[in-house]
Every structure is written in structure tokens, then in C-alpha cells.
Amino acid sequence: MDAHAPTLEKLVSLCKRRGFIFQSAEIYGGVTGLYDSGPLGTLMKENIRRLWKESLNHLEQEVVYIDGALIGPEALWKASGHISNFHDPMVDCMVCKHRYRADDISLDKPCPHCGNKQWTEVRDFNLMFTTQVGANTGQSTTAYLRPETAQVVFVNFKNVMSSSRVKIPFGIAQIGKAFRNEITPKQFLFRMREFEQMELEWFCKPSESNHFYAFWILQRMLFMRAIGITKERLRLHGHAPEELSHYSRGTSDIEYQYPFGWKELEGIAHRGDFDLTQHMQHSGKDLKVYDEETKESYTPHVIECSVGVDRLFLTLLCDAYYEDEIDGEIRTVLRLHPAVAPITVAILPLTKKQHDFAYPLYKKLKLADYSVEYDSSGSIGKRYRRQDEIGTPFCITVDFDSPADNTVTLRHRDSTKQERISLEDIPARLDALLKISFLEE
Ligand SMILES: [Zn+2]
């Protein structure tokens, strides 16, 4: 057998068992929609951020990075439209008090939780977390945890232009947390209350915006393929005019086939001049750009590419989860791209006797910045299985012959094939296997 067989239950269990993801504050019962990254999850998310940046940096297009504040004043979120528009319809069961997103359930049917059919009115629930800035309640002002990272880019557009050497067209990218008080967080990491976004806002002339909209859709799709996501489980969904958000002139979602259906993985949106125009109107500041050629000022258009670190993490786990049969035994294996996998190589001395040879090798690779793990206890078969389950692409086994001829066994995760290589060849072999090609189709 060789089956791609992820279910949400299996992934949740694997994530906890192996230290990818934990429910936040679990010993106190946890909070729905909040999660902590464990040691392996932290390593893998670092890879995801690094690869996302590499996917932008390898292009000729100029991109600079910012890191904005998580808390924003009310005026900012008024201008962006979030105070008036960013809500979901909410309804409560009057009997068991269970709360639902009104568009998640049918109000003609009984409460899925208790079976009664007595609903409150449907109300709008704003998804932003509020907080107070300032010590005294009398003098403090209401502010909001940012529900998206994009607005921090728009309000810094002029600062970046006047302080950097960038010229239109160029991008401002940001990786950071965002917060949404979801009524019903669900599907594990898919819809969370605190999550991390990787967003690119691409500023261009209005006349070039459609060209760049198409360009970025293609680039983002190539990125998903380059980091190893299966082609057949990806598709592009262009929004019909009636599906578009209030700010958008065109939106395309890269969708992935999750165990719970086709859902958005990344959104690419043509935002036109909506955001800069809004912030000009509300702040009274001029955010236009002067065109040296035409001698006229204009408001740039924006193409946005937005993907969640957590959602991409979940997608990569789903996509990599296989169960196959090795020596008559079912094994769970994460077939992650080597550049994505939290651990690149595991050093496994065959017995404790090889420790003095194996441990210095481990330290040497660690100091050379490889993500490496040392595991010396248990049968070698069990140690291989453990590495397979966390997606480690390579195991290096040190055996009785190693000290004599300076060779070790390199085992490949997916094929389980083993080859003999000399110590000095290890870094070059690892580097070749870790390479990612963003341009390949
Ligand atoms: Zn109920």
C-alpha cells in the first residue's frame, strides 16, 4: 500500500505527539482557536518564512520588508473599512446558548448541539479584538489588534518611498501576526484567532496593474509547486464580480484540496487605489506619487498576495502525509520537501559504541547551520520510523566500519534506499538535495 491519507484527526494527533503544534494553555483547558508551536513546528515555520522571502528575492522585482505594530488606532481601522465592514453574522441557540456563525448553519433546522429550534436574532459581530491604550480608563483610548497586516503597509507607503531608494513598481512585504475574534474557529490551524500572515503589497502604475495581477498569480502558484505541494491538489479560483470584497477589482484564490474540501490557501487581490485613497481621505495626507515622465501625480494601484504561515504549514502537512508499507509494516511518513522539513538530517549511531565518532559529526553539521538531530537510543528501525514520521529526508547511520574508512550510510526517507558516502561529501550532498528551484514549471 501507498496511500495519501491525511485526516484532520491524524494530523492533530501527530502534531501533538511529535511536537509540531500544541493547544495553547492546554493544562488550563486551552482556548479554542489559539495554538502554540512546539520545537518542530517552530523549525518548520522558520523554513516557510525563509522560503517565502526567497521566492520574492529571486525575482528581478524590487521588494522591501517592514515589520509593523500589532496595535492600531481606531482612525486607521475606520479608514480601512474594518470597523464598519469586518463582521460575521452571529446567532445563538436560546436553549443551550451555543453560538454559531449564521452562515455556517441552517436556521430552518434544529440546533446541531441540543436539537431545539429557538434562535436569537442574527446580529453582526465585529471580528476585531479591542484593547485600551493608556493607563487610566478615563484617558485611555480604544485601539485594535490588527486583523490583517496589509493596512500597516499602506499607512507606511510614503515613509518607505521617501526613506528607501525604491521606485514604482515595487513591493512592500511583511510577515507578522494578525488577530481575528472568530465566532467559531475550526479545522485546526485553518481558521484561528491568532495567526501569522505573509503579505506582499505590490505598488504599480494603474496602467500596469492588470499585467502585474496576472504576473503575481503565476508567481504565487509557482511558489506552491516549488516547495513541493502536489500539482493535482492545487487549483486557481477566480472570484465572480458578486463574490468580490468591497476593496477589490479582482481576486483569485489558490485553493488546496484539504481533507475537508477545496479551500483558499493564498489570495491574490487587485485592490486598485482603494486603500491609498481611503487613507488620503481619512488622514488628509497626500499619498500620491509624481510621475517624472508625464509630469503628473497619480495614486498607485496595489496587487496583494496574502498567505498565512499557519495555513501553509497545515497545507504542507496535509500534502505530505502518507501511509505506506515497509518490510510488511505500515509506516507514517511526511514526504516534505527537504527544504521545508524541520530536521534535515538525523545522525544515528548504530550502537552506543559509535558515539565518539557520531557525536562530533552531529556538532560539526549543526555548527555549519544544518538542522540536525542526534538520536542514539532504541533500535535503528524504530529510529528510522520516528524520523520518517516527522519528515526528516535523510538519516546518517554511523556503524562499525565508519571510524575505519570515514564513511557512513545515507538513508533516503521516501525510497528508504541507502548509500555509502564519505564524510567529506556530506555537506555537498545535503546542499544539492536541499536546493529549491522557483522558476521550474
Ligand atoms: Zn442548542
Side-chain angles (χ1 to χ4, degrees), residues 93-98 100 111-116 119:
C93 167
M94 285 159 73
V95 180
C96 74
K97 311 291 179 202
H98 231 73
Y100 299 94
C111 166
H113 192 245
C114 73
N116 289 287
W119 300 110

Side-chain angles (χ1 to χ4, degrees), residues 239-396:
H239 286 215
E242 64 272 17
E243 284 181 275
L244 293 176
S245 309
H246 60 280
Y247 55 77
S248 180
R249 297 181 178 210
T251 297
S252 293
D253 291 342
I254 295 174
E255 293 186 336
Y256 180 78
Q257 191 175 25
Y258 295 94
F260 42 88
W262 287 95
K263 301 274 180 199
E264 178 189 344
L265 165 58
E266 170 155 4
I268 300 100
H270 186 326
R271 299 179 73 115
D273 61 4
F274 177 83
D275 303 280
L276 292 180
T277 301
Q278 286 290 112
H279 286 302
M280 278 193 278
Q281 282 170 2
H282 283 254
S283 70
K285 300 285 191 299
D286 180 17
L287 302 178
K288 287 186 174 157
V289 173
Y290 183 72
D291 188 331
E292 297 288 349
E293 277 171 31
T294 63
K295 310 288 177 203
E296 278 175 356
S297 291
Y298 67 97
T299 308
H301 278 196
V302 172
I303 310 300
E304 173 181 86
C305 308
S306 176
V307 62
V309 174
D310 317 273
R311 191 171 292 188
L312 186 50
F313 174 90
L314 174 66
T315 307
L316 287 161
L317 287 187
C318 281
D319 201 58
Y321 190 99
Y322 282 80
E323 287 166 4
D324 60 11
E325 203 175 314
I326 301 293
D327 306 329
E329 205 187 302
I330 307 288
R331 81 166 170 168
T332 299
V333 55
L334 290 183
R335 294 182 187 165
L336 294 167
H337 188 291
V340 171
I343 305 290
T344 304
V345 58
I347 307 295
L348 314 174
L350 195 59
T351 74
K352 298 249 191 284
K353 282 181 190 140
Q354 283 81 42
H355 174 81
D356 289 348
F357 188 85
Y359 195 76
L361 173 62
Y362 159 72
K363 290 303 281 186
K364 201 177 149 196
L365 291 173
K366 204 177 169 73
L367 284 171
D369 252 1
Y370 293 98
S371 180
V372 50
E373 193 168 270
Y374 187 76
D375 187 3
S376 61
S377 57
S379 77
I380 192 72
K382 279 213 174 113
R383 281 183 275 161
Y384 283 151
R385 294 295 169 276
R386 185 182 173 278
Q387 296 300 332
D388 292 340
E389 203 181 35
I390 64 172
T392 307
F394 315 111
C395 288
I396 286 178

Side-chain angles (χ1 to χ4, degrees), residues 113-341:
H113 192 245
C114 73
N116 289 287
K117 209 175 98 181
Q118 280 177 269
W119 300 110
T120 61
E121 292 282 298
V122 176
R123 297 97 79 202
D124 280 337
F125 176 73
N126 195 292
L127 300 181
M128 283 195 293
F129 283 97
T130 57
T131 188
Q132 298 295 315
V133 174
N136 305 318
T137 29
Q139 295 158 355
S140 68
T141 50
T142 299
Y144 298 85
L145 294 189
R146 63 185 188 186
E148 61 173 35
T149 54
Q151 297 304 323
V152 183
V153 170
F154 299 133
V155 297
N156 276 299
F157 170 65
K158 260 288 157 82
N159 284 337
V160 171
M161 272 216 83
S162 58
S163 61
S164 319
R165 300 195 55 80
V166 287
K167 284 201 195 92
I168 299 269
F170 75 98
I172 303 178
Q174 182 175 213
I175 298 177
K177 290 272 180 125
F179 306 83
R180 293 180 188 176
N181 199 2
E182 297 284 350
I183 298 167
T184 48
K186 57 186 166 186
Q187 280 130 358
F188 192 30
L189 308 179
F190 188 80
R191 199 172 296 288
M192 297 158 75
R193 287 186 164 130
E194 177 181 334
F195 57 102
E196 191 176 346
Q197 290 186 309
M198 301 187 287
E199 289 195 322
L200 168 72
E201 308 299 332
W202 180 257
F203 297 89
C204 60
K205 286 184 183 173
S207 60
E208 294 183 325
S209 58
N210 286 334
H211 157 73
F212 280 117
Y213 178 50
F215 172 82
W216 284 112
I217 291 171
L218 174 65
Q219 291 306 319
R220 301 315 303 152
M221 194 55 124
L222 287 177
F223 168 71
M224 298 303 173
R225 299 281 313 287
I227 60 172
I229 299 176
T230 307
K231 186 181 184 182
E232 289 69 31
R233 297 186 203 118
L234 288 169
R235 74 178 185 194
L236 200 63
H237 167 72
H239 286 215
E242 64 272 17
E243 284 181 275
L244 293 176
S245 309
H246 60 280
Y247 55 77
S248 180
R249 297 181 178 210
T251 297
S252 293
D253 291 342
I254 295 174
E255 293 186 336
Y256 180 78
Q257 191 175 25
Y258 295 94
F260 42 88
W262 287 95
K263 301 274 180 199
E264 178 189 344
L265 165 58
E266 170 155 4
I268 300 100
H270 186 326
R271 299 179 73 115
D273 61 4
F274 177 83
D275 303 280
L276 292 180
T277 301
Q278 286 290 112
H279 286 302
M280 278 193 278
Q281 282 170 2
H282 283 254
S283 70
K285 300 285 191 299
D286 180 17
L287 302 178
K288 287 186 174 157
V289 173
Y290 183 72
D291 188 331
E292 297 288 349
E293 277 171 31
T294 63
K295 310 288 177 203
E296 278 175 356
S297 291
Y298 67 97
T299 308
H301 278 196
V302 172
I303 310 300
E304 173 181 86
C305 308
S306 176
V307 62
V309 174
D310 317 273
R311 191 171 292 188
L312 186 50
F313 174 90
L314 174 66
T315 307
L316 287 161
L317 287 187
C318 281
D319 201 58
Y321 190 99
Y322 282 80
E323 287 166 4
D324 60 11
E325 203 175 314
I326 301 293
D327 306 329
E329 205 187 302
I330 307 288
R331 81 166 170 168
T332 299
V333 55
L334 290 183
R335 294 182 187 165
L336 294 167
H337 188 291
V340 171

